[in-house]
Amino acid sequence: SEVFLEEARRRSNKIFAPEKAEKLPFDDGTFGAVFSVATLEFLETKQKLDRAVKEIYRVLRKGGKIVIMVLNSESGYVKEHKKRRDSYFNRMKHVPEIIRNFCLRLFELEKRRYFLEVMFDEEKKWRILNLGTNDVNLAAFCVIIGEKQ
């Protein structure tokens, strides 16, 4: 969302771009890292997912890192949101394991599985509760971490 991007830009001098994941407007090998949050699971087809992962690969330098945060469809957080007919979460097309498999084709992924439990605090700001939870019912995000060889 634009709110998320504005906050990221405020906190960092890095590039944050709300671009089409399937066609990134950057040269080959531009970045040392790509960070994606709640994006790939919403691409309409597996072809678009494949293209997006290939684009991430293309814009990364050799040795570049990926951190891809995918909404965990098994979590209580996502299941609760999906109960609402108008929820954006109902547009999710891909589960984390499918996205991980697409990434495995191009990247060396960490074998350890990461799950991120997040919540809003009293001031309506995100706060990380636990990066290492193994309880998929608590983990709002599955985190895929890897490197371009």
Side-chain angles (χ1 to χ4, degrees), residues 21-22 39-55 91-103 105-106:
E22 314 92 294
T39 302
L40 299 179
E41 60 269 47
F42 291 99
L43 296 174
E44 295 87 3
T45 66
K46 287 186 178 178
Q47 292 79 11
K48 287 187 177 188
L49 174 59
D50 182 53
R51 185 72 208 134
V53 172
K54 287 177 179 173
E55 278 293 280
R91 296 182 187 177
M92 291 173 63
K93 304 293 183 197
H94 311 289
V95 297
E97 199 59 34
I98 296 289
I99 295 168
R100 184 176 176 79
N101 288 339
F102 272 87
C103 291
R105 297 176 186 175
L106 298 172

Side-chain angles (χ1 to χ4, degrees), residues 89-135:
F89 286 34
N90 289 316
R91 296 182 187 177
M92 291 173 63
K93 304 293 183 197
H94 311 289
V95 297
E97 199 59 34
I98 296 289
I99 295 168
R100 184 176 176 79
N101 288 339
F102 272 87
C103 291
L104 270 170
R105 297 176 186 175
L106 298 172
F107 299 96
E108 181 71 30
L109 299 183
E110 288 193 12
K111 291 185 181 11
R112 180 168 180 221
R113 304 289 175 125
Y114 294 93
F115 296 96
L116 180 66
E117 180 184 356
V118 293
M119 295 182 78
F120 282 112
D121 65 15
E122 302 80 37
E123 297 174 5
K124 299 293 184 198
K125 294 183 180 178
W126 283 104
R127 117 181 122 94
I128 296 173
L129 296 179
N130 187 351
L131 178 57
T133 186
N134 288 318
D135 185 343

Side-chain angles (χ1 to χ4, degrees), residues 5-149:
L5 289 169
E6 285 178 27
E7 182 66 18
R9 289 180 188 122
R10 187 181 70 74
R11 293 178 182 213
S12 174
N13 63 353
K14 306 296 182 215
I15 296 172
F16 296 92
E19 303 295 340
K20 288 269 186 204
E22 314 92 294
K23 187 161 176 51
L24 298 173
F26 306 107
D27 293 334
D28 296 358
T30 298
F31 300 106
V34 172
F35 182 63
S36 172
V37 180
T39 302
L40 299 179
E41 60 269 47
F42 291 99
L43 296 174
E44 295 87 3
T45 66
K46 287 186 178 178
Q47 292 79 11
K48 287 187 177 188
L49 174 59
D50 182 53
R51 185 72 208 134
V53 172
K54 287 177 179 173
E55 278 293 280
I56 291 170
Y57 183 86
R58 182 186 66 76
V59 300
L60 271 177
R61 295 190 277 272
K62 185 175 181 177
K65 307 285 187 197
I66 59 167
V67 177
I68 299 174
M69 295 175 61
V70 181
L71 283 166
N72 176 15
S73 52
E74 295 300 313
S75 72
Y77 174 76
V78 170
K79 287 178 180 178
E80 193 61 35
H81 276 273
K82 288 181 117 182
K83 288 179 184 176
R84 292 193 343 256
R85 179 179 258 159
D86 64 337
S87 173
Y88 187 77
F89 286 34
N90 289 316
R91 296 182 187 177
M92 291 173 63
K93 304 293 183 197
H94 311 289
V95 297
E97 199 59 34
I98 296 289
I99 295 168
R100 184 176 176 79
N101 288 339
F102 272 87
C103 291
L104 270 170
R105 297 176 186 175
L106 298 172
F107 299 96
E108 181 71 30
L109 299 183
E110 288 193 12
K111 291 185 181 11
R112 180 168 180 221
R113 304 289 175 125
Y114 294 93
F115 296 96
L116 180 66
E117 180 184 356
V118 293
M119 295 182 78
F120 282 112
D121 65 15
E122 302 80 37
E123 297 174 5
K124 299 293 184 198
K125 294 183 180 178
W126 283 104
R127 117 181 122 94
I128 296 173
L129 296 179
N130 187 351
L131 178 57
T133 186
N134 288 318
D135 185 343
V136 295
N137 293 314
L138 291 177
F141 289 95
C142 294
V143 184
I144 301 167
I145 299 173
E147 182 176 319
K148 179 178 181 177
Q149 300 296 305

